[in-house]
Amino acid sequence: MVLLNAKTWLDRHLSELPEWQQDAFSQFGDMIADEARMYPCIPGRQGFLSDSLRFGFAADPRLDEAIDEVATLLRQYGDCSRETGKYASLVIFFQTPDDMRNDYAVEDYEQLFWSVLSRVSAKDQLPWPGHIASDPSHHSWEFCFSGHPYFAFCGTPAHQVRKSRHTSHFLITFQPRWVFAEINDSTPFGRNMKKQIRQKLVAYDGVPAHPSLKWYGQADNLEWEQYFLRDDETVAAKCPFSSMHKKD
């Protein structure tokens, strides 16, 4: 059975899970809660420490089984995200076999990431939200599932330069758009938060922030470019996401 898990539940029951799931969650926790080398995403770190994050596990992301599991987790999460805390996110760890871990470059994971989002979108049973553009080339586009818009973040074992994107297992985090109601360019809190995150990001990675990192909704912003950041400053020529959705 595919279920959402809170940190408090996983802390108590981790030893009951398969070894790869134990490893994925433990290494993620060590990274994001490290006080000596503080992870730059302040909302993500606060969400973890305050038990606002929810976690799920999925099979090898190349398999159809994984796509069904992600769709199930997103349906569950859309119904409860607002009850979990103001720094809410869903973190999905994927089983990452040795052939992927040893042979996949950042660009391979990039193709896999967009394949997962596209295949999951094809499982969506609800129409695309009317207030969100369905064309990724529009500045208001955001990945949506079951009527809810999300910012998607991808971490991989292949990232080396952008250390903030390096994770022990392939993972995708889905952050509900409502989380950004106060974290945006229109509020002093949001502007200050962005400044702090940017400073911490540069210090953590040791390289300049990727030029694609902008505010959602800005006319010159393409949100999809921020979902998967390459180790260099390049971006795909066009968004690889494909959706079967049509506006009602």
Side-chain angles (χ1 to χ4, degrees):
M1 182 179 295
V2 181
L3 294 172
L4 296 173
N5 298 295
K7 175 183 180 294
T8 46
W9 187 91
L10 287 167
D11 286 341
R12 294 194 304 269
H13 298 278
L14 195 61
S15 62
E16 303 167 18
L17 300 181
E19 187 173 341
W20 79 264
Q21 296 182 7
Q22 296 183 43
D23 183 62
F25 178 74
S26 296
Q27 293 211 44
F28 177 85
D30 290 345
M31 173 189 71
I32 203 166
D34 188 348
E35 293 186 3
R37 191 163 185 271
M38 200 166 291
Y39 193 72
C41 181
I42 297 171
R45 177 179 164 82
Q46 288 301 316
F48 181 79
L49 297 175
S50 64
D51 202 28
S52 296
L53 305 187
R54 292 297 178 266
F55 299 91
F57 300 94
D60 181 331
R62 297 167 294 189
L63 302 178
D64 290 341
E65 175 187 357
I67 304 307
D68 289 335
E69 290 168 338
V70 172
T72 298
L73 288 165
L74 279 169
R75 289 189 190 102
Q76 293 175 16
Y77 188 64
D79 292 336
C80 71
S81 69
R82 290 182 180 273
E83 302 165 10
T84 62
K86 68 176 183 177
Y87 293 133
S89 283
L90 168 62
V91 182
I92 300 180
F93 302 104
F94 293 84
Q95 189 166 12
T96 311
D98 287 343
D99 68 306
M100 287 175 57
R101 195 182 303 278
N102 297 331
D103 301 335
Y104 270 38
V106 170
E107 290 74 19
D108 297 314
Y109 280 111
E110 181 178 30
Q111 292 179 16
L112 183 61
F113 166 74
W114 287 110
S115 169
V116 169
L117 289 195
S118 298
R119 290 151 64 207
V120 167
S121 182
K123 300 280 185 181
D124 198 354
Q125 299 167 352
L126 295 183
W128 196 265
H131 64 291
I132 303 292
S134 57
D135 180 357
S137 66
H138 192 277
H139 64 266
S140 75
W141 179 87
E142 188 88 284
F143 175 76
C144 299
F145 191 86
S146 200
H148 300 282
Y150 295 98
F151 178 85
F153 169 101
C154 186
T156 83
H159 278 85
Q160 299 297 327
V161 177
R162 300 193 188 280
K163 301 175 184 65
S164 56
R165 296 270 173 158
H166 175 83
T167 52
S168 64
H169 292 66
F170 179 69
L171 69 78
I172 301 177
T173 296
F174 295 92
Q175 193 167 18
R177 173 48 49 190
W178 61 260
V179 169
F180 298 93
E182 295 182 5
I183 308 175
N184 58 68
D185 195 34
S186 67
T187 68
F189 175 79
R191 291 190 292 271
N192 183 56
M193 176 75 77
K194 179 183 180 181
K195 181 179 178 181
Q196 289 187 54
I197 292 174
R198 187 63 58 88
Q199 291 173 343
K200 291 177 181 294
L201 181 65
V202 172
Y204 193 92
D205 286 350
V207 296
H210 197 285
S212 292
L213 294 178
K214 299 175 183 177
W215 287 106
Y216 173 74
Q218 283 183 323
D220 65 342
N221 175 61
L222 294 176
E223 196 73 356
W224 66 267
E225 291 185 354
Q226 304 185 48
Y227 285 12
F228 190 103
L229 297 184
R230 297 174 179 174
D231 260 348
D232 58 21
E233 295 190 351
T234 64
V235 295
K238 66 175 184 177
C239 182
F241 178 74
S242 61
S243 173
M244 303 294 289
H245 275 87
K246 300 293 183 184
K247 292 271 191 175
D248 276 4

